[in-house]
Amino acid sequence: MDFQLSDSQRALQDMARKFAREVMRPKAAHHDETSEFPRAIIASAWENGLLNMNLPESCGGLGLSHLDQLLAYEELAWGCSGMATSITANDLANLPIVVGASEEQKKRLLTPFTQEFKLAAFCLTEPEAGSDVANMGTTAVRDGDHYVLNGSKCFITNGGHADQYTVFATVDKAKKHKGITCFVVEGRPKGLTAGKHENKMGQRASDTVALTFEDVRVPVANRIGEEGEGFRIAMETLDNSRPITAIMSVGIARAALEYSLEYSAQRKTFGKPIREHQAIQFMLADMAMNTHAARLLCHQSAWLLDEGQKNTLLSSYAKCFAADMAMKVATDAVQVYGGYGYIKEYPVEKLMRDAKLIQIYEGTSQVQRLVIAKELFK
């Protein structure tokens, strides 16, 4: 085991930290207040090599390791987790292609993302099939050299701005998860409609919409894997993406801790800074301890992937622990700030709202516990 970062990893981390500090944070409050999509900032992330970090070198990508990606994404989430969610959405949408497509498909569908700024969306969740993916209602019917997609998806990040959609649909509802198949929809073809932007509690900078598919034609050449392989591809995708989602929790928690340390040094009660009161010290100590523990879980789950090992259990440990931890740390940060923590002029109430979503998306904390139990029973 070696916990030292290489020079190149430190350089990547520093670059992402500078981008988060100088580009994301100054605009974070504005985009949180207005829910305006930060397209210019995400485009700047692309220009700086901080978008599509999971693309292989064979497609013109950077070929970064999973651990390398985590180093950058912690910093971006520290800057603004809403913006970071829209940035990581490209990775999530392209992961099924990375893990399940042929080499021809990878080069055709992924290379354009390295040549120009493009956004992608991952389309799995449905109104009646969130955690229960096998209950999927979106259908794909073969028609010659095409499939015809019909159905709806919800809570789709980047859905209103995407240039490409990775869509999961069933070729046979009776087969449940064995009928799920993965497709790539390029552009905004006839029949694909995006709904209104959802007015969310937190992570308001990220675009979240519902999508409707009405007789959307997709070439057979854009089917990823064989019919019925979509569920496996989706689960492998989520194993790969969980460490990234989890590390975003660490970025939020680290920000909450840093703000709390700063404020507790300035705010005085009973004649001394509140950080000199043992009650506050215990809170700060727990915040720091749990943030660091979550980071180590995230790094180990990413390291397993880099070593070619299965990480389902560790990635669920990381996602569940880190998400719950971030919610607790952000809530404690509001408590450290007292009444000021409840006012939008101060930064920690945003962190508390942002943290809540990570307990919900890409597998709720309860679903992660189900995955953990299932893995333990093996």
Side-chain angles (χ1 to χ4, degrees):
M1 289 182 288
D2 183 358
F3 293 96
Q4 291 294 326
L5 300 182
S6 67
D7 290 342
S8 62
Q9 287 174 324
R10 289 191 181 279
L12 173 63
Q13 187 181 56
D14 290 344
M15 179 181 70
R17 183 172 300 169
K18 181 179 179 181
F19 183 85
R21 182 178 62 248
E22 297 180 3
V23 180
M24 298 173 76
R25 273 206 170 175
K27 298 289 187 178
H30 167 77
H31 289 282
D32 177 64
E33 182 69 24
T34 64
S35 199
E36 176 188 333
F37 186 64
R39 188 178 185 89
I41 292 174
I42 300 173
S44 181
W46 179 80
E47 292 170 358
N48 284 274
L50 295 171
L51 193 68
N52 311 315
M53 286 189 282
N54 65 345
L55 298 188
E57 291 180 311
S58 61
C59 300
L62 297 174
L64 295 178
S65 71
H66 292 87
L67 181 55
D68 289 346
Q69 295 170 47
L70 260 60
L71 298 175
Y73 279 129
E74 178 182 335
E75 303 304 325
L76 298 184
W78 173 89
C80 175
S81 62
M83 296 179 190
T85 288
S86 279
I87 291 172
T88 60
N90 262 33
D91 285 339
L92 178 60
N94 287 329
L95 265 171
I97 305 172
V98 173
V99 304
S102 67
E103 287 304 313
E104 181 277 329
Q105 288 176 318
K106 290 178 184 178
K107 290 181 179 179
R108 176 166 55 86
L109 298 171
L110 297 178
T111 301
F113 285 88
T114 70
Q115 298 172 335
E116 61 179 313
F117 172 56
K118 295 167 69 73
L119 291 171
F122 178 79
C123 307
L124 179 65
T125 302
E126 297 182 4
E128 300 298 327
S131 300
D132 182 15
V133 176
N135 195 36
M136 182 172 294
T138 300
T139 59
V141 178
R142 182 77 178 259
D143 180 22
D145 293 334
H146 288 76
Y147 285 87
V148 180
L149 304 187
N150 282 282
S152 61
K153 300 289 181 179
C154 62
F155 307 139
I156 305 303
T157 303
N158 290 352
H161 298 267
D163 304 288
Q164 185 165 290
Y165 300 82
T166 305
V167 184
F168 293 84
T170 181
V171 296
D172 187 345
K173 289 184 180 181
K175 291 183 178 180
K176 296 293 186 178
H177 69 277
K178 293 182 179 180
I180 296 174
T181 307
C182 180
F183 303 91
V184 173
V185 177
E186 298 178 83
R188 187 70 68 86
K190 181 181 178 181
L192 173 53
T193 306
K196 66 177 180 63
H197 170 61
E198 301 290 357
N199 188 12
K200 305 192 299 293
M201 175 196 297
Q203 297 204 17
R204 291 168 54 78
S206 67
D207 173 60
T208 308
V209 302
L211 296 175
T212 302
F213 297 83
E214 295 180 308
D215 295 330
V216 174
R217 297 182 67 83
V218 184
V220 173
N222 281 19
R223 186 191 67 208
I224 306 302
E226 299 298 324
E227 289 189 357
E229 290 188 345
F231 183 80
R232 176 190 61 79
I233 291 171
M235 295 305 102
E236 188 173 346
T237 294
L238 294 175
D239 282 349
N240 277 259
S241 69
R242 275 193 209 107
I244 292 176
T245 309
I247 204 67
M248 289 175 61
S249 302
V250 176
I252 293 171
R254 196 183 97 215
L257 171 62
E258 290 174 0
Y259 281 127
S260 297
L261 289 168
E262 180 182 358
Y263 182 78
S264 65
Q266 299 169 352
R267 171 71 166 141
K268 292 183 179 180
T269 61
F270 306 106
K272 59 184 178 181
I274 61 172
R275 72 176 184 180
E276 295 184 20
H277 296 295
Q278 192 177 67
I280 301 298
Q281 290 176 358
F282 282 7
M283 291 175 70
L284 295 172
D286 284 345
M287 293 162 76
M289 174 173 58
N290 287 302
T291 300
H292 190 64
R295 181 183 295 111
L296 292 176
L297 272 176
C298 294
H299 285 192
Q300 187 182 8
S301 64
W303 174 85
L304 284 170
L305 289 173
D306 290 331
E307 292 294 309
Q309 299 183 43
K310 188 175 176 62
N311 80 331
T312 302
L313 179 60
L314 262 294
S315 66
S316 287
Y317 282 167
K319 169 58 164 72
C320 189
F321 181 83
D324 290 352
M325 174 279 304
M327 191 67 220
K328 177 66 164 60
V329 168
T331 302
D332 283 349
V334 172
Q335 194 72 17
V336 169
Y337 270 69
Y340 293 110
Y342 207 67
I343 296 174
K344 288 184 177 291
E345 183 180 345
Y346 292 83
V348 291
E349 65 87 30
K350 174 183 181 295
L351 297 175
M352 182 176 172
R353 289 186 286 107
D354 288 350
K356 184 61 193 175
L357 183 56
I358 303 187
Q359 289 184 304
I360 297 171
Y361 70 5
E362 287 195 48
T364 66
S365 292
Q366 288 70 33
V367 166
Q368 299 307 324
R369 286 173 168 85
L370 290 175
V371 173
I372 290 168
K374 184 176 178 181
E375 289 295 310
L376 293 177
F377 296 159
K378 292 180 181 179

